[in-house]
Amino acid sequence: MREVSELDGVGPQVASRLKALGIIREVDLLLHRPLRYEDRTRIVAMNRVRPETRVQVEGRVMHQEIVQRRRRMLLVTLADDAGQITLRFFRFYPSQLRMFRVGNHLRCFGDVRFGPQGFEMAHPQCQVLGTGEPPPLPKHLTAIYPVTQGLAQATLAKIIDGAVERLLSGIIELPDPLDGTIDPGLVEAVRQVHRPGPDADLDALIDGHHPAVQRLASEELLAHHLALTRLNRARARQKAHPLEPDQALDAKLLDVVGFEPTGAQRRVIAEIAADLNTSRPMRRLLQGDVGSGKTLVAAVALLAAAASGRQAAIVAPTEILAEQHYNTLSQWFAPLGIEPVWLAGKVKGKARREALERLAGDAAVAIGTHALFQHGVEFRDLALIVVDEQHRFGVHQRLALAAKGSEGERSPHQLVMTATPIPRTLAMTAYAGLEVSVIDELPPGRKPVTTVALSQGRREEIIDRLRRALAEGRQAYWVCPLIEESEVLEAQAAESTAEELSAALPEFTVGLIHGRMKPADKQQVMDDFSAGRIELLVATTVIEVGVDVPNASLMMIENAERLGLSQLHQLRGRVGRGSAQAACVLIYKPPLGETAQKRLEVMRETTDGFVIAEKDLELRGPGEVLGTRQTGMMRFRIADLARDAELLEPVKGLADSLDTAGADIVIERWLGDAEQFVDV
Ligand code: ADP
Ligand code: MG
């Protein structure tokens, strides 16, 4: 299968953007699922347009005028035989004024609203039609894809469309080992997902209950199942170095941290110690709600490796999180004579050479990001890997981890930690082959975060409340709307909110952090916030996981109705870590849909992560669209464990029906290089 970089029209820059979306091979284009669809297959007569719909109309420009209301705007009247509609533009260029010259014939697509002059469209996409035959309408619905920074929807759609075209005309071949076992066939399913007919069941396509989506989801789950089965078989033959805890060292650590472990922490520490002290590699998942104290548990495990004269590494998915671990753990370990090695992507030159030397030499503990497992990093004797916030890592990284430190039949112990509570039934699949430990108790003295939901109409009141809290010396987060389709827009929203809030709260220092900033800049902002130099931190969802600033006791979440329960829970978990009574304000945009209303209710009623996880499953019925970004679980391209739980049993049957060659094809399609799963 070709890589996208070999395709016409895909230069290195586009290729790197595609890679950010997980699209590396041509086949990945076919497996990139649309977020939604637009119906450009028909022209709607102007007396038939309805508010709150997206439609396509065709008509002649009757009138054009620039008016000065609160803002300058361009108003265009467009008419067909049946009626007329107003086009409204708040931003416009001279070329547009020419486009909307009276008498021009236009085709426009956009959202319809009811305005002062009847039906109108704000900023529709328009095309001038010549005098001859209008260009033909598409025969199928137009797919809208999730994009990423620097990659336009139109560019991505064109590249995907090319791949779909090659598939349908037989230029790309997709071998289908499940042919005849499930309906529809693979090629047909791909076609229906990218080019549904005008009468397709759109709700089902978007929420994923459509047979075509289910067909692809089944195959994806099958790929994971097959891969994990192979890994587990290989693992059954692996050995590990037993790691023996040193009681005196453990006691010293507890002395340094200055608090008593909770009963739950003691229990899981014992479970892990027992696993580590055998010659079978540990594969354990540690689940513990945000703030439950997983770091201490990790520290005790790392110590067991150090005490046995071997090495341990802890990795986090982002530099912010990794650095936070580094700060905490170097403090805790210093009195024990252990000096951890720090390695992240930004560590370069001499510092990096020194880090690498220590890893190959006498270092006992390494802390960092994935940079720890990249090519060229050699450990002397890596015996334990701790992975924090696992749900941020894909299967791929998990495999790379498993490979690292493996030597012949010997493999390091692995501890995987997550704050995402996963209902048991799903945990079995999401983390197949892992033993599970749970911290089901929070450290004493935590007061549950009080939560209120307020309509955005009360913004001034909310800002007042914020002002009073900041004046009391508290620190706050303000999280900005998540915009599914684009990181760029999300960052822009955060930027303009930060401006608005600094203007409204001139007496306080407002900081800004979002995913498009350089790691060093992010780190600077987090440091300033931790040190109290920033009082209000405006953020996108980059702060979702793991960040620990105990003095922050107020969490404002804008457009809370757009976020899933697990994400709201993660965000709220950023506060309530210190002694002050913490509060969370969910700001929503009315009117609230039924599910959104229930979600906000759940958030007000409970702070228990497991209750929230169960409710999350319950609430995600048909009609609810939750992108992968919102689920917080392991990332699949198409499958969604909450939605597709009932596919899991049949998938096992499918697995039995495949021979090795068939299994190779399926694994390779969804997970890439099948070699790494081979159970030799
Ligand atoms: P998480 O499970 O979210 O990673 P952390 O390990 O960051 O949680 O712990 C959250 C906070 O609670 C930290 O400030 C930590 O020092 C503190 N903490 C952890 N365990 C205890 C305990 N048993 N008693 C008091 N405080 C604790
Ligand atoms: Mg943590």
Side-chain angles (χ1 to χ4, degrees), residues 259-262 265 288-296 332 443-444 446 548 577:
F259 51 73
E260 276 297 302
T262 60
Q265 281 169 319
D289 211 344
V290 285
S292 62
K294 294 184 290 295
T295 316
L296 175 68
W332 287 356
R446 296 275 169 83
D548 191 20
R577 298 174 156 236

Side-chain angles (χ1 to χ4, degrees), residues 235 271-272 275 280-287 414-416 424 427 431-438:
R235 181 189 146 206
E271 284 165 3
I272 291 165
D275 275 9
R280 245 176 71 84
M282 171 174 79
R283 294 288 180 270
R284 190 168 278 276
L285 172 71
L286 173 59
Q287 277 189 31
Q414 275 183 50
L415 176 64
V416 165
R424 286 217 169 263
Y431 300 114
L434 301 186
E435 249 73 56
V436 179
S437 289
V438 181

Side-chain angles (χ1 to χ4, degrees), residues 11 55 69 88 102 154 172 180 318 345 349 390 394 467 477 541 587 677:
V55 297
R69 296 284 146 75
R88 190 184 291 272
V102 171
I172 302 180
T318 67
Q390 156 79 18
R467 181 179 295 115
Y477 296 97
T541 45
I587 308 169
F677 300 93

